[in-house]
Amino acid sequence: MSETTASTPAAPEQDENKLIAERREKLRALREAQAQGGPVPFPNDYKPKNRAAELHAAHGATEKADFDANIAAGEKVLVSISGRMMLKRVMGKASFATLQDATGRIQIYVARDEVGEQDYAAFKHWDLGDIVSAEGWVFKTKTGELSVHATRIRLLTKSLRPLPDKFHGMQDQELKYRQRYVDLIMDETARGRFAARSQTLSAMRAFMTENAFMEVETPMMHPIPGGANAKPFVTHHNALDQQMFLRIAPELYLKRLIVGGFERVFEINRSFRNEGISVRHNPEFTMMEFYAAYWNYLDLMDFTEALLRDTAQKAVGTLELEYQGRRVDLAKPFKRMTIREAIHAHTDIGAHVDDTTELIRRLKKLGLSEEKEKLSTRSLPSLQVMYFEEAVEDQLWDPTFIMEHPTEISPLARANDARPEVTERFELYITGREMANGFSELNDAEDQAARLHAQVASKDSGDDEAMYYDADFVRALEYGMPPTGGCGVGIDRLMMLLTDSPSIRDVILFPALRREA
């Protein structure tokens, strides 16, 4: 039997409340012992000198015979570690336990003759989940497992709730989201997923600064929501006695900075949209938006492609990804197609792509209704976008830039000089999901004012996601903004791709959930 075999787990039907009560009784005994001069139940004076991964890296390849020879010669590698006790096997005068720290796991060997009768007796009553420290020397067991021969042990934190069964972990997916702290304790994959997220953000920041972008911070509470077509969260500022909105996008503030003379800026930001929740949507999410003077949408596509390649390589070590059983190759050049070209490539609509009657018929066949969507009042470009979203979007598995969005639905994007009905805009799709949105920015203040007024008219007609008129933003443009390109990259969806996660909730530490009853 391995030294890392856990003690027999509690039977599933055993009342968890009883287990908690037993642990609370142990804590009560510790408090009573403290009153009699015993140790503090929750000490804060311990600082481990070593980590599990560090010990495995330094000594994992050392042969057991070499360890034994060095120990016999009095050349012991002394270490000091701490972590959560995940496994425990008590055997008479000696026991084994496994501690888990932020870097991994390490086994400890605890012998009564080494740590003393009193501490060994206490150790036998410690529970899985307790946070424990151990000091001693490194050795290898008969089975070759790197371990720490403890000469001193301490209980640092008493765990009052039992961990899930180690063989099954947390089976309830919603419980994983709701109690992420337990999910992280039990699931090494979950910890790795969020470590990759941290590495991704670091890689993106490094890439931006290497390309002369300056990181900035803009407000999260806006007097006027803007920068995207979305329904905002509303709050109230008591001191100012005015309605405020949680940020739906930082775009209009970042472009103010371009007006002010910062030619390349970016922000990794939290944004909020009062919309539905799905495997792709969380009302609170993370984006990176960046803006560069003297760039257009073609420059942005080149840069975004390079950004994602660099980020993936640094964060997960490869450009050949697998997502939900299918290959995604970021090394190949990303495809570029207009909306009309994508519809032609992925449907059988043929020449009817410009036929409003046929588009409406097909949209109704896909489940959209005249009553809700007002299909008969929509323009041809608007219907093409709707058909693209319903019939094509999910098919764009390989990285694909979709271009030339209609001007009427892109109120902040610059219209194409040759075809003013479409804008110099793109959306990047990977695995059938939008990953990024960018465009040549509209810097004509009068044109921008007219488009925002049109948005207000749409809002007055009942469109909750239409934009407000932002007079200060228009005023900023009136001072003059150089030709500029701007792009937003969805960090959460990117993390779904990089970590092969099926739901956005898997890559957000604390996703939005309905309040517990």
Side-chain angles (χ1 to χ4, degrees), residues 280-296:
R280 304 184 188 187
H281 299 90
N282 192 69
E284 179 181 1
F285 60 98
T286 304
M287 289 194 299
M288 184 179 79
E289 287 205 12
F290 59 94
Y291 293 80
Y294 311 108
W295 282 16
N296 59 29

Side-chain angles (χ1 to χ4, degrees), residues 442-450 469 473-479:
L442 178 58
N443 63 343
D444 180 335
E446 293 181 346
D447 189 356
Q448 182 66 87
Y469 188 86
F473 175 63
V474 173
R475 179 169 57 194
L477 291 184
E478 289 173 345
Y479 279 95

Side-chain angles (χ1 to χ4, degrees), residues 2 11 26 47 63 178 213 260 291 334 362 374 415 480 484:
S2 169
K26 292 179 181 180
K47 293 178 173 55
E63 297 292 335
R178 197 174 292 282
F213 282 83
Y291 293 80
F334 292 7
R362 287 177 175 244
K374 299 181 174 59
T484 297

Side-chain angles (χ1 to χ4, degrees), residues 141-400:
T141 65
K142 293 178 181 178
T143 60
E145 182 166 356
L146 188 71
S147 306
V148 175
H149 186 126
T151 56
R152 187 185 180 200
I153 54 172
R154 290 177 72 190
L155 177 64
L156 302 179
T157 302
K158 181 66 194 167
S159 171
L160 297 180
R161 289 183 177 269
L163 296 174
D165 183 324
K166 84 175 185 73
F167 294 106
H168 302 98
M170 296 182 77
Q171 298 301 302
D172 186 327
Q173 193 64 44
E174 182 168 328
L175 196 61
K176 287 188 174 188
Y177 303 145
R178 197 174 292 282
Q179 298 182 18
R180 181 68 80 187
Y181 38 90
V182 182
D183 180 35
L184 295 173
I185 290 171
M186 300 303 297
D187 188 353
E188 182 179 358
T189 302
R191 295 196 300 277
R193 191 162 58 242
F194 290 104
R197 183 180 178 113
S198 177
Q199 292 161 359
T200 295
L201 292 173
S202 295
M204 295 181 84
R205 278 192 167 94
F207 189 84
M208 299 306 290
T209 55
E210 287 166 5
N211 284 276
F213 282 83
M214 180 176 72
E215 184 169 11
V216 297
E217 297 170 298
T218 62
M220 294 180 69
M221 289 198 302
H222 294 181
I224 300 173
N229 292 97
K231 186 176 181 180
F233 285 95
V234 184
T235 187
H236 184 81
H237 194 297
N238 290 337
L240 297 177
D241 190 24
Q242 70 180 34
Q243 180 175 257
M244 300 287 282
F245 303 89
L246 295 186
R247 171 172 62 197
I248 58 175
E251 177 169 343
L252 303 190
Y253 284 92
L254 292 172
K255 286 196 280 193
R256 285 173 169 95
L257 298 179
I258 297 292
V259 171
F262 293 126
E263 293 186 349
R264 294 189 183 186
V265 295
F266 79 99
E267 181 175 12
I268 296 177
N269 64 89
R270 302 289 282 184
S271 291
F272 309 83
R273 298 182 184 177
N274 200 353
E275 301 168 345
I277 296 176
S278 73
V279 295
R280 304 184 188 187
H281 299 90
N282 192 69
E284 179 181 1
F285 60 98
T286 304
M287 289 194 299
M288 184 179 79
E289 287 205 12
F290 59 94
Y291 293 80
Y294 311 108
W295 282 16
N296 59 29
Y297 77 120
L298 299 174
D299 301 308
L300 289 172
M301 285 190 282
D302 292 340
F303 186 81
T304 301
E305 188 170 339
L307 167 69
L308 294 191
R309 283 203 190 97
D310 184 80
T311 298
Q313 188 65 53
K314 290 177 180 175
V316 296
T318 182
L319 298 180
E320 296 183 0
L321 309 174
E322 182 174 293
Y323 186 75
Q324 301 299 288
R326 291 182 63 183
R327 187 168 177 265
V328 181
D329 189 354
L330 298 183
K332 295 190 301 184
F334 292 7
K335 299 177 183 177
R336 299 187 182 189
M337 309 174 77
T338 66
I339 290 175
R340 293 179 77 260
E341 288 170 344
I343 292 174
H344 273 296
H346 294 281
T347 73
D348 62 355
I349 196 168
H352 294 295
V353 70
D354 296 318
D355 184 338
T356 57
T357 301
E358 175 63 12
L359 285 168
I360 290 172
R361 185 189 73 79
R362 287 177 175 244
L363 286 167
K364 287 181 177 179
K365 189 174 181 181
L366 290 169
L368 278 68
S369 68
E370 173 66 34
E371 181 181 4
K372 183 177 179 181
E373 303 294 344
K374 299 181 174 59
L375 299 175
S376 61
T377 66
R378 292 182 178 272
S379 67
L380 173 62
S382 176
L383 291 170
Q384 289 173 335
V385 170
M386 292 183 73
Y387 187 58
F388 165 81
E389 291 174 346
E390 295 296 323
V392 178
E393 186 176 299
D394 289 346
Q395 300 184 57
L396 301 176
W397 188 265
D398 294 322
T400 305

Side-chain angles (χ1 to χ4, degrees), residues 86-148:
M86 302 300 295
L87 303 170
K88 180 183 176 186
R89 180 177 175 226
V90 176
M91 312 173 298
K93 298 179 180 180
S95 302
F96 287 95
T98 297
L99 304 187
Q100 176 176 288
D101 64 20
T103 69
R105 294 185 175 188
I106 188 77
Q107 180 173 261
I108 63 171
Y109 171 74
V110 184
R112 183 187 65 183
D113 293 343
E114 285 285 352
V115 301
E117 185 83 37
Q118 184 175 350
D119 284 350
Y120 188 70
F123 167 80
K124 291 195 293 184
H125 289 87
W126 296 348
D127 297 299
L128 298 186
D130 288 350
I131 297 175
V132 174
S133 71
E135 299 174 16
W137 68 81
V138 181
F139 77 109
K140 279 194 172 178
T141 65
K142 293 178 181 178
T143 60
E145 182 166 356
L146 188 71
S147 306
V148 175

